[in-house]
Amino acid sequence: MKQRTLRLAATGARLVTGTVVAAACVLGVIAAAATPWPGVHDEPAATTVKPVPSDAVLVCNGAFRALGRDATQAGQMVSASATSARTDGSMGDVVTADLAMPDVLGGTGAVSLTGRVKDREVPLFSASESVRLSDPDASGFAAAPCREPGLESWLVGGDVSVGASDIILLSNPGAVTATVELTVYGDKPAASTVVIPAGTQLGVPLASVAAGSRLPVVHVASSGAPVRATLQSTLVRTLDAVGVDLQDGVSGPQNTQSILGVVSSPATEGDDTTGIQVRMLAPGADAKATIRITAAGSDSVIDEYPIDLAAGKPAEVSLSGLRRGAYDIEVSSDEPVVAGARQIVRAGDGEDLAWSLPSPQLDENATTMFSVPGGAPATLYLRNPGDAALSVEIGGDASQTVQLGPGASATVAMRAGGYTLTPTGRVNAAIGMLGSGGSAAVASWPLWPGAATTQPIVVRP
């Protein structure tokens, strides 16, 4: 009996000891988990560098072309008028070269302007051109900046209806041949290939590649060398010439786009024949888009239009009921789209048209140089897309600083000349030109960042 008692006592002691040890282990694990563990922190290697910029190249379109002036050669293109060009900035460091125009009778003025890199800097320069026509088959005012060539762009505002004579201008300022693929989105999708020799500009009638499409949108893709693609438009209604335009390409589809300074000019109150038309295309997938309208210089939304877009099918929306004035249009979509807005103005017996394109955001503290040509009064349109206030420094004939609150916009009257624009935050900007004193004239284009605005990049191994 005594032996059994001793055995039980020993067993009880072992159990108590085991329980204590187990509890200690649990407490040790908890304490270890709560205590910071020593470790090795490996920050990824990175360095910030400023890329060596390449030479900056601008292309000016030159002579405005006319189609069908010779009834025996309907496809022949002739020069309707030479454009008036202006250049601004460090032109002493810029090399000018004429581009051949073999397919247009009497064509001159297509040139490339090359700013050579010097001491890792690109000379700051810009150029623009304008033209006014008053012929029976071509009447109106057109103006555009001279632009850099690229490997891809989208032409949004084409027209192949009766009376329209649209021409795709393809300029190759390079030293090698460029092969350009034109893909048409519309009622009758189509594709064609054009070979552009080095140092040459060729014109392709839009009707030859987009016949049967009411609202054609053309994707331009180049290989071999970058090209500048421009859409030249001429419109005749019945027997009256009612407008000309020069429209650059959109760089690519985006989910949010701002089109600034689009003019509404109804002939009478409630008249929509001179209203604004917005054309859109979702090239990749079905999209739900919304168009929001604000008066230029205001941040209050006046109206909005929802629209469903079928993939690959261009659509157009008429912004009816807008009073005379300039408006900013924001297009937002759940899928990337390309967009543009057509404006028509009427004064007396005259009429003119122009397409406005989305304005890309200009980078903070980056200087953009631009030229304003002569021919009609001009306005600079600015919009702050962010949530913080910023200022925009404008350099040129009349230097000034414009303050923009969050989401705010502003307008600045401009004279013909060369200017620089430097924002303290990201900003959208565009130039609009509108005739005065009974002149029917309108032109519009966004401000694009140039090669001289190359920003530093972060490099990681």
Side-chain angles (χ1 to χ4, degrees), residues 260-264 276 294-297 302 323-328 381 411:
L260 306 184
V262 187
V263 174
S264 174
I276 298 170
T294 60
I302 295 174
R323 296 181 178 181
R324 182 179 297 270
Y327 296 87
D328 295 343
Y381 296 94
T411 61

Side-chain angles (χ1 to χ4, degrees), residues 1-14:
M1 187 68 179
K2 182 179 179 180
Q3 186 178 3
R4 184 177 177 183
T5 301
L6 291 173
R7 212 182 284 121
L8 289 173
T11 302
R14 284 195 299 271

Side-chain angles (χ1 to χ4, degrees), residues 313-337:
K313 302 293 184 182
E316 204 163 81
V317 178
S318 177
L319 308 185
S320 59
L322 294 177
R323 296 181 178 181
R324 182 179 297 270
Y327 296 87
D328 295 343
I329 300 171
E330 182 181 277
V331 178
S332 57
S333 174
D334 60 355
E335 294 289 341
V337 301

